[in-house]
Amino acid sequence: MLRRVAQGLLTTLAFAFALAGPAAAARLSSAQASLLGAMNRTRVAYHLAPLRVDATLTRAARAHTTSMLRGNYFAHGDFALRMRLYHVSGSIAGENLAWGVGSRATASSIVSEWLASSEHRANLLRPSFRRVGIGRGVGAFAGYAGAAVVTADFAG
């Protein structure tokens, strides 16, 4: 019982730490904030530091999501070039993508899918990743109306 209370308190503190502070966090949509929360709950469950929102990574992630929606494609593209163009700092960076409709577009579903993929899981749970930018857009995609397309850019 005491362990559960302590874990709950740790999770609450982790969210407060991740969401307080950076001004970019205040500009997240509710869907983006929900995804950040799901990502940080997962990281805390694995005894990792929560991710904090980075404004530069957020701009890069939002631009990529917009590009995928407009171009109706789903791919990382030239990730290294995009990180350079947005002047992302840090020695290591990574990216997770997702898209879905309905219940497959929820934060918990996206994080579950990432955990089921070894490459995406590695990015989400990489201890050296401390910052994240989240881009999420909704529109017609791959023949579906109202599809959510997500880009999560990570950096150390």
Side-chain angles (χ1 to χ4, degrees):
M1 174 75 167
L2 183 58
R3 185 176 185 175
R4 257 191 210 167
V5 171
Q7 284 177 329
L9 180 59
L10 178 61
T11 300
T12 301
L13 289 173
F15 291 138
F17 171 76
L19 294 175
R27 292 190 297 266
L28 291 181
S29 70
S30 61
Q32 289 169 308
S34 181
L35 182 57
L36 176 64
M39 293 164 71
N40 280 337
R41 278 192 299 278
T42 301
R43 287 178 61 88
V44 168
Y46 283 87
H47 309 289
L48 298 170
L51 298 164
R52 62 181 169 78
V53 175
D54 179 280
T56 302
L57 287 167
T58 297
R59 283 191 297 278
R62 286 179 176 164
H64 191 59
T65 292
T66 299
S67 177
M68 287 192 296
L69 270 168
R70 287 184 180 158
N72 199 33
Y73 72 93
F74 187 72
H76 296 283
D78 193 337
F79 174 71
L81 176 61
R82 190 165 8 104
M83 294 298 99
R84 284 193 307 273
L85 288 173
Y86 281 89
H87 307 287
V88 172
S89 64
S91 59
I92 185 169
E95 181 173 76
N96 283 358
L97 303 177
W99 79 272
V101 294
S103 63
R104 304 229 17 183
T106 64
S108 60
S109 178
I110 289 168
V111 170
S112 292
E113 291 294 325
W114 285 343
L115 288 171
S117 159
S118 60
E119 295 87 2
H120 295 93
R121 179 187 184 92
N123 280 341
L124 180 61
L125 300 179
R126 186 177 306 273
S128 58
F129 285 158
R130 295 301 181 102
R131 300 175 290 135
V132 69
I134 300 170
R136 184 181 189 279
V138 176
F141 188 77
Y144 293 91
V149 177
V150 173
T151 303
D153 287 338
F154 303 91

